[in-house]
Amino acid sequence: MESVLCARKAQLCLPNTRHQRRPVPHNRRERPIPAFEFLDLLPFIAIGFAAQLVDGALGMAFGVINSTLLMSVVGLSPAAASASVHVVETFTTAASGISHTLHRNVDWRLFVRLAVPGVIGGILGAYVLSNIDAAVTRPFVMAYLCAIGVYLLYRAWRHRAAHREPRHIAPLGLVGGFLDAAGGGGWGPVVTSNLLAQGTSPRKTIGTVNTAEFFLTATISATFLSTLGWEAFTFQTIGLLIGGLVAAPFGAVLVKKLPARGLLTMVGILVVLTSAWSIYSVLH
């Protein structure tokens, strides 16, 4: 009887835990996502948006702007910066190419003649940059492009735009693809500016070069990922990707609305400025 009474007293003394909330282990507590992470993305989203808007309308600048940013601000190596930009461009050029196609800005005959040698040159350039520093040749290429930009400005201000059939397309695509992979950007400045210098239609040239760039960037990205892995895809590239995807559809609209002489002038100014800045950066 005494044992029963003791057990009853012990039961009464025990705390009622049936409706009490069990403590959550420290490692299982929900933590709010810090706001500063998204705020850190905002500058890169804005840069990606602006760079893609310019690239979609003028056929160049996304790779050059963002490669320079990732190397100078983030501190990535040339190979890692080029890999990051090309992974982002795989998505942005797909959206831009679809938009240019819907607005009938693509010359499909020129597209085929550019895309195939461009892909071959891109594979070669990616392998070279993964193993050799290609920065030695960059000042010479930029000096050449600067001269092309000056010539485009001369044509825009002194002559009417006379459309002519372009020549040497396959070598141009090969060199453009190689320099784009090896230099982290160059397909647009090399290919678009040279085709425009030969007298092609600005609207069709920009739309075709942008659409062909998707196959180039997809191939270069696959080559870089096979040699470098996913380590080059940094936090900042997510912001560039978001901004680029938002801006991609608008470039095709702008290139369709702007007059040929205005496009030629803007392309010439952009080529001169980016080339001169690249030469200055290398020499200093």
Side-chain angles (χ1 to χ4, degrees):
M1 187 67 181
E2 291 181 0
S3 61
V4 174
L5 291 174
C6 291
R8 182 63 178 170
K9 288 181 180 180
Q11 186 177 2
L12 291 174
C13 292
L14 287 174
N16 185 10
T17 58
R18 181 179 298 178
H19 300 291
Q20 288 185 357
R21 188 175 180 180
R22 294 182 180 179
V24 180
H26 180 72
N27 57 354
R28 292 180 57 188
R29 289 178 184 171
E30 295 182 359
R31 296 181 180 178
I33 299 174
F36 70 86
E37 290 187 1
F38 180 73
L39 294 178
D40 287 346
L41 270 182
L42 286 179
F44 295 95
I45 292 174
I47 292 169
F49 181 90
Q52 180 57 40
L53 193 64
V54 173
D55 191 279
L58 302 182
M60 65 190 73
F62 188 87
V64 173
I65 292 173
N66 291 308
S67 293
T68 304
L69 172 75
L70 291 175
M71 285 187 289
S72 60
V73 178
V74 182
L76 294 184
S77 66
S82 183
S84 299
V85 169
H86 282 97
V87 170
V88 172
E89 280 188 311
T90 302
F91 298 94
T92 58
T93 53
S96 180
I98 292 171
S99 184
H100 277 295
T101 301
L102 293 176
H103 286 86
R104 299 181 180 180
N105 295 336
V106 181
D107 180 345
W108 292 108
R109 184 168 171 266
L110 178 62
F111 168 84
V112 174
R113 296 167 68 187
L114 275 177
V116 175
V119 166
I120 296 172
I123 294 173
L124 295 174
Y127 274 115
V128 166
L129 188 59
S130 299
N131 298 283
I132 302 171
D133 186 7
V136 178
T137 60
R138 189 168 181 80
F140 300 99
V141 175
M142 292 299 108
Y144 164 73
L145 290 178
C146 192
I148 288 288
V150 172
Y151 176 67
L152 290 176
L153 289 174
Y154 173 77
R155 280 192 60 228
W157 288 103
R158 302 290 296 177
H159 297 280
R160 294 181 174 230
H163 298 163
R164 296 190 297 269
E165 188 69 20
R167 298 177 297 173
H168 313 300
I169 296 175
L172 181 62
L174 185 70
V175 173
F178 180 87
L179 292 175
D180 191 82
W187 173 257
V190 172
V191 179
T192 302
S193 60
N194 274 276
L195 289 175
L196 291 177
Q198 293 184 51
T200 57
S201 165
R203 180 172 71 90
K204 289 285 187 178
T205 298
I206 292 170
T208 304
V209 172
N210 265 275
T211 305
E213 191 175 11
F214 164 72
F215 296 92
L216 174 71
T217 55
T219 304
I220 293 174
S221 298
T223 307
F224 273 126
L225 291 176
S226 66
T227 56
L228 299 177
W230 284 95
E231 60 189 27
F233 196 74
T234 62
F235 173 79
Q236 291 81 3
T237 58
I238 299 174
L240 299 178
L241 175 59
I242 295 171
L245 285 176
V246 173
F250 298 105
V253 178
L254 288 175
V255 77
K256 193 174 182 179
K257 299 293 184 182
L258 292 172
R261 178 171 292 186
L263 284 173
L264 212 59
T265 302
M266 287 187 285
V267 169
I269 292 172
L270 185 61
V271 170
V272 170
L273 290 179
T274 54
S275 303
W277 173 255
S278 297
I279 295 171
Y280 175 81
S281 301
V282 171
L283 295 179
H284 291 78

